[in-house]
Amino acid sequence: MIETKEELEAIKKTCQAMVTKSAGLSAGTAIIPVPGLDIGSDVAILMRIIPKINSQFGLTPEQIDGLDTESKLFVMTAISNTGSKMAGKYITQNLIVSLLSKMGVRVAAKGASKFVPLIGSAVAGGISFTAMKYMGNSHIDDCYRIALAALEHRQLERAVEDDAVIEADAYTPTNGPTRPDS
């Protein structure tokens, strides 16, 4: 469980580096002038990287199921509020293909550009890198917002609990509340 904002920032940076590396792999595959190869590669890359990002932020279905009921409800509400399609979910090929199809213009442009010698492959690689980086970093941003909200919620709960303990310590059952002048 993430305990500090600094830890959360470090996770975000690690995940961004992972996305950049994956976007480079996607671009490298897109340069190869074989129609369809790049889409299959993008799906495989996303099937691997999205669960890793979820895991880093504590947002896999298993990690969420391990939370107490109140925390689980809070996290699921935060996921819903961000509109995330991939946080807290089992990542399937159909989900990835669906999300890629929503980026259809970029994907179509990437596929069509392969038929233009040399420059087309470079354009396809650039589009692939940008699309993969955009999808990955958007997911990281969603996960970050969800994890930050959960962290702040836990910190607020702890503060309220600490205040309750302090108030309970200040009360004696026989005399009522203690006073400094007593």
Side-chain angles (χ1 to χ4, degrees), residues 79-143:
I79 289 170
S80 177
N81 289 342
T82 64
S84 176
K85 304 284 188 241
M86 297 182 285
K89 299 197 175 54
Y90 290 102
I91 305 304
T92 64
Q93 187 171 349
N94 288 342
L95 176 62
I96 297 296
V97 170
S98 169
L99 293 171
L100 282 172
S101 70
K102 288 180 182 174
M103 296 185 71
V105 173
R106 289 183 182 163
V107 172
K110 179 170 68 168
S113 67
K114 284 189 172 193
F115 296 105
V116 178
L118 297 175
I119 294 173
S121 290
V123 168
I127 291 170
S128 190
F129 181 87
T130 303
M132 185 66 64
K133 190 128 166 109
Y134 173 80
M135 281 189 72
N137 284 337
S138 291
H139 182 58
I140 290 168
D141 291 343
D142 287 347
C143 289

Side-chain angles (χ1 to χ4, degrees), residues 15-139:
C15 289
Q16 287 170 332
M18 200 171 25
V19 165
T20 300
K21 182 178 178 182
S22 295
L25 290 171
S26 176
T29 304
I31 290 173
I32 301 168
V34 176
L37 176 66
D38 53 343
I39 301 299
S41 173
D42 286 352
V43 169
I45 289 168
L46 289 168
M47 290 281 297
R48 181 182 51 83
I49 195 169
I50 297 301
K52 284 184 180 181
I53 293 169
N54 285 344
S55 178
Q56 289 287 314
F57 283 98
L59 296 172
T60 65
E62 296 82 9
Q63 289 167 318
I64 293 170
D65 283 343
L67 297 172
D68 62 81
T69 303
E70 185 181 332
S71 297
K72 188 186 306 185
L73 181 61
F74 184 85
V75 168
M76 295 308 290
T77 302
I79 289 170
S80 177
N81 289 342
T82 64
S84 176
K85 304 284 188 241
M86 297 182 285
K89 299 197 175 54
Y90 290 102
I91 305 304
T92 64
Q93 187 171 349
N94 288 342
L95 176 62
I96 297 296
V97 170
S98 169
L99 293 171
L100 282 172
S101 70
K102 288 180 182 174
M103 296 185 71
V105 173
R106 289 183 182 163
V107 172
K110 179 170 68 168
S113 67
K114 284 189 172 193
F115 296 105
V116 178
L118 297 175
I119 294 173
S121 290
V123 168
I127 291 170
S128 190
F129 181 87
T130 303
M132 185 66 64
K133 190 128 166 109
Y134 173 80
M135 281 189 72
N137 284 337
S138 291
H139 182 58

